[in-house]
Structure formats: C-alpha cells, structure tokens
Amino acid sequence: MDTFRKQEALKPYFDQSYGCAAFSSVAKGGLFIVGGAYGAGDIYKLADDGTVDTFVCKVDLVQAVAGAVLGGEVYSEIVFFDTEADYDRFMTGNFEFSANVKAVVLTASAEANATTMGNKGLQAGLTMEGTEVTGVNPLAEKPEYTKGMKVFTLSLGGFMYQATVGGQKFIIKK
C-alpha cells in the first residue's frame, strides 16, 4: 500500500474513502486464448483524515480471461470504496466482468480497461516509480467513483500482450 500512498494523485482517495483493498503483487499470465491471475491482498478501513489504516481481513483476487493473450506480468492493484455501503457490497465477494487491452514489456506498460467496477482509463509508464496513475480529475472537489469504487493498478514488470474479456472474483477471508 505504500507504493500507492506515494502517488500524490491518490491522496484524495486515501483522505476521503471509507476503505480500500490493496494487492501488493498480482501475477497474471496467459497463452494464446486463455489466461488468469492471482493475488493476495488486505482490506482496510481508512480514518476520516486518511492517516490510520485499520486492517480488516485478507482477500484473494482470482481472474480468468479469454481472448488474444500471450506472456505474463506482475502488477499492484488498489480498490477504493467511497462509502460504508460500497465497502459492504465489496465484502460480499462479487464477481466482476472486464474487457482489457494491455501491453507490458519489462517495466514499461500501457493499458486501458473497462470493468463493471468502473473504468480505470489509460495508464502508461516506464517504471512503477515513474508511472503516474490516471483517471483522477485534479479539479474535482471530491474523488470520483464508479458504482462506489475506483480501481488503480501499477505494473511491476513482465512481458505480455492481451486483448481479452474475463471475470474477476474477490474471495474475502474473514
């Protein structure tokens, strides 16, 4: 989660979100027409001022995709929850659908995603430290969410191409 806290653009989300699920490392791979991903993470409730994170429980991310996919990558992901009701809905372990177009070469990446959790928008960068998260409106008074959630990812490295559709499941470990 420290990597995401260093992103200045995410400060409003840490300050104003009810909670978040942080995955420090998600491994994804695929060959020809099928692929998948797995990552273990933590769920937190955030203080009103964003300074204290209260650990709630562990969570696993499991993903299956179909389409043109080749290679593998590792990335970090964080999901912010706008309100307590949004947090509660996530805690049911809902299944989400997505469409992805992504290319990763070592630590350079570019991607666009559309999901039922909310569009991440285009992200690109050469290293995790050099990648700026996008999808943040710096002029907005309040962070923007889609269906009460906002997802950000940072590529850690790999070599992968994908144009896929798939599903993602969060397994809550209370």
Side-chain angles (χ1 to χ4, degrees):
M1 184 136 81
D2 292 336
T3 303
F4 289 105
R5 280 208 177 271
K6 293 177 185 175
Q7 296 282 333
E8 189 62 31
L10 297 183
K11 186 173 181 348
Y13 287 93
F14 280 106
D15 290 346
Q16 298 179 41
S17 296
Y18 180 82
C20 68
F23 301 88
S24 61
S25 179
V26 178
K28 180 185 241 182
L31 185 61
F32 302 117
I33 61 170
V34 295
Y38 172 81
D42 300 314
I43 297 176
Y44 298 93
K45 288 184 183 177
L46 303 175
D48 290 339
D49 62 1
T51 57
V52 178
D53 304 326
T54 303
F55 173 78
V56 176
C57 64
K58 296 282 190 184
V59 60
D60 287 343
L61 177 156
V62 179
Q63 182 183 64
V65 297
V69 58
L70 181 62
E73 73 161 319
V74 178
Y75 62 92
S76 294
E77 178 173 303
I78 191 164
V79 181
F80 288 101
F81 314 114
D82 186 17
T83 66
E84 184 175 4
D86 300 318
Y87 165 86
D88 290 341
R89 188 170 57 251
F90 179 86
M91 293 297 284
T92 65
N94 287 333
F95 184 80
E96 302 293 338
F97 293 98
S98 66
N100 306 291
V101 176
K102 186 172 195 173
V104 176
V105 179
L106 300 179
T107 60
S109 69
E111 85 176 286
N113 277 324
T115 73
T116 55
M117 286 174 51
N119 296 343
K120 285 196 290 187
L122 183 65
Q123 293 182 187
L126 296 179
T127 66
M128 184 171 59
E129 291 78 19
T131 299
E132 293 293 323
V133 296
T134 60
V136 177
N137 179 355
L139 302 176
E141 291 182 26
K142 184 178 185 314
E144 297 173 341
Y145 300 86
T146 302
K147 295 183 180 177
M149 292 184 270
K150 187 68 171 187
V151 180
F152 296 97
T153 62
L154 290 172
S155 183
L156 302 177
F159 185 84
M160 182 173 200
Y161 164 80
Q162 75 175 57
T164 59
V165 294
Q168 183 169 275
K169 173 79 173 160
F170 295 98
I171 302 167
I172 312 300
K173 298 180 172 184
K174 295 180 183 178

